[in-house]
Amino acid sequence: MAEGSPMNRIVLLTDGGIESLVTASLILKDVQRTSSTLDRFTLGCQIDHSNECPELVSSRKSCIEAQSNLIDSEATEFMPRNASLISVLARAIEHAGPKGRLYWPVRCGTEVHLLQKTMDAVTALIRLNTIITGSPGPELILPMIDLDHEQVTELAGELDAPLQSGWPCRSSSVSPCTSCASCMAWDSALTASGLILVRTEMSREGP
């Protein structure tokens, strides 16, 4: 590669959640199917900017690192807590390069307003990047965008995703509370899909 040439990578955005885990499993499948030679990079960050940012520490951080290992990332970087959506995507685009691929596991389900707001932000940022760099890339892939919880867990089963590496809780990054809306939704979806989330003891240390 000539000096000064941009690095092109496959970049996974992840908050350690189950959507991020399934996306990492999709990356692994795509890399194996296409024999891609692109390096992989993991960016730990807030995924759903419509809710309060979880702390990317302790067991949640361990899930991010496990997902990074799953796709054989060359490195993992963590964005500051409460970094804006624009700054997260701008950093991801920088890491992906003009011919890379950016996997963003944001999930809007059937919330049309949230879906439109998300797509507007993405379109505006990519358009700005094109104006600045003269490049239309990287390719943006949103595999979870319109899926509900059950569809995500069904896909997890099809991909044989290691569910112990997906964090279900939005209330705690140390131990699943089992009572928040996120925990209950994932428990119901996993049960409906015939899957079990085995909770193992993970790191409880800080960042």
Side-chain angles (χ1 to χ4, degrees):
M1 182 182 299
E3 185 176 354
S5 298
M7 174 71 76
N8 295 302
R9 301 183 180 94
I10 293 172
V11 176
L12 167 67
L13 276 67
T14 170
D15 63 358
I18 293 177
E19 296 100 327
S20 300
L21 168 65
V22 176
T23 300
S25 298
L26 281 171
I27 291 175
L28 186 62
K29 180 180 179 180
D30 288 348
V31 167
Q32 293 170 343
R33 177 177 55 82
T34 63
S35 300
S36 173
T37 58
L38 291 176
D39 288 331
R40 272 84 78 189
F41 188 93
T42 298
L43 188 64
C45 58
Q46 182 176 3
I47 297 299
D48 181 1
H49 282 75
S50 67
N51 289 305
E52 182 180 356
C53 180
E55 290 189 275
L56 306 182
V57 298
S58 194
S59 296
R60 181 184 287 275
K61 182 178 181 181
S62 295
C63 284
I64 292 173
E65 292 168 342
Q67 293 168 18
S68 177
N69 291 334
L70 179 65
I71 65 170
D72 194 24
S73 287
E74 61 175 350
T76 301
E77 177 184 321
F78 289 86
M79 293 291 292
R81 191 181 185 196
N82 291 318
S84 69
L85 172 60
I86 295 299
S87 61
V88 167
L89 291 178
R91 186 61 172 160
I93 288 171
E94 180 182 356
H95 279 303
K99 296 182 179 179
R101 298 203 296 272
L102 175 56
Y103 286 78
W104 182 23
V106 64
R107 187 177 59 81
C108 299
T110 58
E111 297 182 41
V112 177
H113 176 71
L114 179 57
L115 177 60
Q116 185 62 55
K117 184 178 179 180
T118 299
M119 296 310 299
D120 286 348
V122 170
T123 301
L125 189 60
I126 291 181
R127 184 181 296 119
L128 178 61
N129 178 71
T130 300
I131 293 171
I132 294 172
T133 66
S135 168
E139 180 183 1
L140 180 63
I141 302 169
L142 300 93
M144 304 287 113
I145 189 71
D146 58 351
L147 303 186
D148 60 26
H149 288 84
E150 286 191 19
Q151 289 172 317
V152 175
T153 55
E154 287 172 4
L155 187 54
E158 292 172 10
L159 295 168
D160 197 23
L163 289 173
Q164 71 276 9
S165 297
W167 196 247
C169 187
R170 290 203 63 86
S171 297
S172 172
S173 293
V174 177
S175 180
C177 72
T178 72
S179 59
C180 70
S182 180
C183 278
M184 291 191 292
W186 285 120
D187 183 66
S188 175
L190 288 163
T191 299
S193 299
L195 301 173
I196 299 175
L197 178 58
V198 179
R199 299 189 180 96
T200 57
E201 288 297 318
M202 305 184 81
S203 169
R204 291 177 180 262
E205 299 176 359

